[in-house]
């Protein structure tokens, strides 16, 4: 989670909402990282989670990220939760809950919906205060 927080800080440095993500392999090794780049790339889909998944898939040479874990500083939105399911990630670890757009626990539970073909093990609230603080600090200056 600390590496994901570092990615979030990098995102805020170029004006993006400070969200960071890290894709880990089964042994806990870092495969890829991502921080929000929506402002930087002028791309509405350039969320930290999607960038980490895209980069990881490219590095590994496969879109199937089974046995991998995604760590994110913020509870994923519906777009990112859907991408996690489609990429077959085994586990999601996130920091701050997102009561406005969270699609893993707060508003919906996309990643564990029994109607879908894949479900993800989820652990939320990891370093929650630190993850929430970086977001609060960012928005306090806006």
């Amino acid at each position: 989670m600390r590496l994901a927080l570092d990615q979030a800080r990098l995102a805020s440095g170029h004006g993006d909402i400070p969200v960071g993500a890290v894709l880990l392999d089964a042994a806990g090794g870092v495969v890829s990282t991502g921080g929000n780049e929506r402002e930087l790339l002028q791309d509405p889909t350039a969320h930290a989670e999607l960038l980490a998944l895209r980069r990881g898939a490219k590095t590994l040479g496969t879109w199937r990220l089974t046995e991998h874990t995604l760590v994110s500083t913020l509870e994923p939105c519906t777009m990112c939760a859907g991408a996690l399911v489609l990429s077959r990630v085994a586990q999601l670890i996130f920091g701050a809950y997102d009561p406005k757009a969270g699609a893993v626990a707060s508003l919906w539970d996309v990643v564990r919906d029994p109607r879908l073909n894949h479900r993800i093990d989820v652990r939320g609230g990891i370093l929650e205060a630190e993850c929430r603080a970086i977001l609060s600090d960012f928005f306090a200056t806006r």
Side-chain angles (χ1 to χ4, degrees):
M1 186 62 76
R2 300 242 182 253
L3 183 53
L5 281 163
D6 290 343
Q7 292 298 308
R9 287 183 194 93
L10 289 172
S12 69
H14 50 75
D16 275 290
I17 296 172
V19 177
V22 178
L23 183 67
L24 304 173
D25 63 22
V30 175
V31 175
S32 61
T33 62
N36 272 354
E37 294 183 10
R38 292 186 311 167
E39 296 296 332
L40 185 67
L41 300 176
Q42 292 301 297
D43 178 353
T45 69
H47 288 202
E49 300 93 334
L50 285 182
L51 295 173
L53 290 174
R54 287 176 186 154
R55 292 169 183 160
K58 186 173 183 178
T59 296
L60 297 168
T62 181
W63 61 267
R64 288 181 181 89
L65 302 175
T66 57
E67 301 183 17
H68 288 78
T69 297
L70 187 87
V71 179
S72 178
T73 58
L74 182 64
E75 176 184 0
C77 68
T78 52
M79 176 180 64
C80 293
L84 288 165
V85 171
L86 293 173
S87 66
R88 313 294 196 271
V89 166
Q91 184 177 37
L92 167 67
I93 297 170
F94 70 88
Y97 287 83
D98 186 351
K100 294 182 180 179
V104 175
S106 296
L107 297 178
W108 300 283
D109 190 356
V110 172
V111 300
R112 292 175 287 200
D113 189 316
R115 296 170 293 181
L116 298 177
N117 64 334
H118 179 73
R119 279 162 291 295
I120 299 168
D121 180 47
V122 177
R123 291 179 47 207
I126 307 302
L127 296 181
E128 183 175 7
E130 288 181 54
C131 293
R132 192 177 328 106
I134 194 168
L135 289 162
S136 296
D137 292 348
F138 176 82
F139 286 113
T141 63
R142 297 204 136 201

